[in-house]
Amino acid sequence: MLTIWGRKTSSNVQALMWCVGELDLRCHRHDAGHRFGGLDTDAFRKLNPNGTIPVLQDGNNPPLWETGAILRYLANAYGGNAFWPRDPVQRAEIDKWAEWAKINVAMDFTVPVFWQVVRTAPAQQDQHAIEQAVAALDSKLELADTRLSENTYLCGSDLTLADIQLGHILYRYYDIGISRALLPNLRRYYEKLTERRPYQEHVMLSYDELRVT
Ligand SMILES: N[C@@H](CCC(=O)N[C@@H](CS)C(=O)NCC(=O)O)C(=O)O
């Protein structure tokens, strides 16, 4: 049994929960962070000295933090060969795109775009900075759009760990009020993700409680 700490509105928790759902694993999730607090307690700092979510504990194994490491652990322990190939070369190809998506897309979206548009009061928002951040993000997403012109998913015909790292931000990317580049293959890919039940259950969630007005 997996135990997870983290509120369901956290994008990193969403990536993790989506992965748990895709791998059809059982887990118990404890709300923590943002309005639930609890990240400064001694008990939580023993789980994660960084005081961040998500944290995952699998049975009595040591707790894991850092979303990328947690996702790779789940893929190693429970993923099938299509999701996370056993062959090191094939696996590295997927890991490369997963890392790319985390560093270039998720990080370029979350703070510079999502936080500015949703977690900043309208009067404090810098529209020019937001436009520049969206343009920088879209230039990275163009790479994904090009790949997706030939592949159903980021690394071929099957959903892999790379899709978890790319896809988990797309619900918010398409939902918030920004002017996006026209990336038809990415859009088609996103719409395909929205048909997946674990994506609906863990990613397509209201973020209203995060909104600063
Ligand atoms: N590098 C860490 C970042 C973790 C992180 O910043 N988590 C955010 C939520 S996405 C957090 O703990 N925020 C504090 C809060 O929710 O109160 C990871 O990838 O797991």
Side-chain angles (χ1 to χ4, degrees):
M1 171 69 121
L2 303 174
T3 307
I4 290 171
W5 287 262
R7 59 187 164 86
K8 62 186 181 183
T9 53
S10 146
S11 58
N12 285 313
V13 173
Q14 292 187 352
L16 174 52
M17 293 303 296
W18 178 25
C19 183
V20 165
E22 291 290 351
L23 299 182
D24 206 15
L25 304 173
R26 290 182 57 224
C27 84
H28 183 70
R29 186 181 58 78
H30 298 278
D31 278 320
H34 197 251
R35 72 185 169 95
F36 300 97
L39 306 187
D40 286 332
T41 63
D42 289 347
F44 189 82
R45 292 288 167 143
K46 277 191 189 137
L47 292 169
N48 180 1
N50 299 290
T52 55
I53 50 168
V55 174
L56 173 134
Q57 188 163 29
D58 188 357
N60 292 320
N61 295 340
L64 288 174
W65 32 268
E66 285 302 330
T67 310
I70 299 172
L71 292 174
R72 278 192 290 273
Y73 166 74
L74 291 179
N76 283 325
Y78 302 109
N81 198 53
F83 186 79
W84 190 238
R86 297 291 167 238
D87 175 77
V89 176
Q90 289 175 15
R91 176 178 292 189
E93 183 66 15
I94 287 164
D95 199 14
K96 176 179 77 177
W97 282 100
E99 192 70 9
W100 172 82
K102 165 97 179 167
I103 303 296
N104 291 279
V105 179
M107 290 179 77
D108 275 16
F109 173 70
T110 301
V111 174
V113 178
F114 184 74
W115 280 39
Q116 293 308 311
V117 173
V118 174
R119 299 187 68 171
T120 303
Q124 311 297 323
Q125 290 176 7
D126 178 343
Q127 292 307 326
H128 181 62
I130 291 171
E131 279 166 25
Q132 284 189 319
V134 173
L137 172 67
D138 281 348
S139 73
K140 309 274 176 57
L141 286 173
E142 272 176 31
L143 278 180
D145 188 69
T146 302
R147 269 186 84 73
L148 291 165
S149 66
E150 293 176 357
N151 299 312
T152 308
Y153 294 103
L154 196 54
C155 293
S157 54
D158 294 299
L159 184 105
T160 70
L161 190 72
D163 297 296
I164 302 286
Q165 286 287 29
L166 175 64
H168 79 276
I169 63 108
L170 291 181
Y171 169 67
R172 290 177 175 183
Y173 170 74
Y174 280 113
D175 202 57
I176 62 175
I178 52 173
S179 297
R180 287 166 290 270
L182 195 61
L183 300 171
N185 303 306
L186 184 76
R187 179 78 206 194
R188 190 170 55 242
Y189 165 78
Y190 165 66
E191 280 167 11
K192 200 160 179 58
L193 295 182
T194 67
E195 293 167 6
R196 302 182 80 94
R197 181 164 290 230
Y199 192 83
Q200 294 166 358
E201 282 178 5
H202 301 296
V203 180
M204 299 176 70
L205 302 179
S206 168
Y207 47 84
D208 264 356
E209 68 181 44
L210 302 176
R211 200 177 288 282
V212 176
T213 51

